[in-house]
Amino acid sequence: MIALLSPGQGAQTPGMLAPWLELDGAAAFLDTLAGAAGVDLHQLGTTADAETIKDTELAQPLIVATSLLSLHALEQALVAHDPALTDRAEWVEIAAGHSVGEFTAAAAAGVLNATDALALVGVRGAAMAAAAAATPTGMSAVVGGDPDEVDTALAAHHLLGANVNGGGQVVAAGLVDDLRALGAEPPARARVIPLAVAGAFHTEHMAPAVERVRNAAAALDPADPRIRLLSNAAGNTVSSGQEALNGLVAQISSPVRWDKCQEAILASGVHAAVELAPAGVLTGLAKRSMRGVETVALKSPDDLDAAVELIIRSTHRQPPQES
């Protein structure tokens, strides 16, 4: 059994969908997702440049669609290897997603179907983009330093730790001028790295987006999770579909505690994790914060064989291969 990890905004790269669309049935699946989200995911994932896909309104549905497309491809590859593994619950112990990746995780856990997830993410992206446009805000990664000193520095500059990622990384969010001041006077032994995002996500600055997404979510009929689903709020296990949906709405203006999600994965005894495309960020954090957990990042279809091999070994509790 594995933990299934779903990345958040910032993981996107130009052309990232192109190799996945070469797989059988992928283009038709993407068309369905694009229709639900109301954006041209094919163009965004193949020919759009980095500046275009940085746009919050476009980046969020693109990332979730890419993750779900890679999950679909992984399931096909897995069943081709072992026809007995048709039920996702037979090989996924935990589903967890970072920020907008929590929508992917909710779909993977069976709370929402893929089209409902994309439709809601489409609303989320547009609402958060509008909220971000109202005030000049942003985010910066703070890497290293003493945690207490980092917290003190953020408070002194009127910033919030919007993403607590573990492994000595906190993402500060707030007004652009306050972020610049933090960068000019960073905490001791810490680096402050501005992020290419349009606003202070997961803070009070996103409050105007919450009601719009809540109204859209009210029209959905969530199911209870079939796989253990972790919440961004505190790494706790979500007990019902409605709780999951409420959490997806609330996290828009609340901090992401990815450190707590990683702690829950470690405590579960799971020893393997697969990060869905566009992968790399969460497996990088896992190497620092989840030692002993073997990981595979699905960056392209070339990584499917390694992911299948890891899942088969983990499902049948076989020891890891020697390097």
Side-chain angles (χ1 to χ4, degrees):
M1 303 289 278
I2 69 158
L4 194 67
L5 310 179
S6 305
Q9 192 167 345
Q12 72 273 18
T13 56
M16 65 185 183
L17 268 180
W20 296 101
L21 291 175
E22 296 177 7
L23 302 179
D24 289 343
F29 184 51
L30 185 66
D31 286 344
T32 299
L33 300 181
V39 294
D40 186 351
L41 294 172
H42 189 285
Q43 187 270 333
L44 290 174
T46 57
T47 61
D49 61 19
E51 188 64 26
T52 299
I53 62 174
K54 187 176 74 174
D55 184 335
T56 300
E57 185 170 358
L58 304 178
Q60 293 189 8
L62 175 61
I63 290 164
V64 173
T66 302
S67 295
L68 290 175
L69 191 62
S70 67
L71 175 59
H72 182 67
L74 177 59
E75 290 182 314
Q76 289 182 318
L78 188 59
V79 170
H81 186 91
D82 185 347
L85 294 176
T86 56
D87 185 349
R88 197 177 298 157
E90 291 293 322
W91 54 275
V92 179
E93 176 76 19
I94 292 175
H98 189 287
S99 187
V100 75
E102 193 172 19
F103 285 74
T104 306
V111 173
L112 299 173
N113 61 44
T115 53
D116 281 349
L118 260 296
L120 192 57
V121 169
V123 174
R124 181 189 194 266
M128 291 178 71
T135 308
T137 60
M139 305 177 85
S140 294
V142 183
V143 181
D146 178 82
D148 290 336
E149 292 181 8
V150 170
D151 288 344
T152 298
L154 297 191
H157 290 287
H158 312 292
L159 299 169
L160 178 70
N163 301 155
V164 183
N165 289 330
Q169 184 189 110
V170 175
V171 176
L175 296 174
V176 169
D177 287 345
D178 292 334
L179 289 168
R180 287 176 181 153
L182 177 69
E185 190 180 0
R189 301 178 303 282
R191 292 180 297 136
V192 177
I193 306 168
L195 300 180
V197 296
F201 304 143
H202 306 293
T203 72
E204 62 183 8
H205 295 286
M206 291 295 107
V210 172
E211 192 63 26
R212 182 173 169 186
V213 178
R214 181 180 288 118
N215 290 338
L220 302 180
D221 185 20
D224 292 341
R226 295 183 58 251
I227 292 164
R228 183 181 174 190
L229 176 64
L230 299 183
S231 167
N232 273 187
N236 56 292
T237 299
V238 176
S239 61
S240 71
Q242 191 58 54
E243 181 187 349
L245 201 56
N246 292 344
L248 291 174
V249 174
Q251 55 114 292
I252 293 170
S253 60
S254 301
V256 170
R257 292 304 303 265
W258 188 248
D259 59 331
K260 297 296 184 183
C261 290
Q262 292 183 116
E263 289 173 11
I265 292 170
L266 278 175
S268 75
V270 168
H271 296 297
V274 173
E275 182 183 1
L276 299 174
V281 173
L282 300 184
T283 46
L285 290 172
K287 289 175 182 177
R288 296 192 291 274
S289 301
M290 297 199 301
R291 296 187 185 278
V293 176
E294 191 177 359
T295 61
V296 169
L298 279 181
K299 296 181 179 181
S300 79
D302 291 341
D303 300 309
L304 286 170
D305 287 344
V308 167
E309 191 272 335
L310 178 60
I311 291 166
I312 295 296
R313 280 197 286 108
S314 301
T315 302
H316 297 292
R317 293 175 169 79
Q318 297 174 8
Q321 292 183 336
E322 294 183 3
S323 58

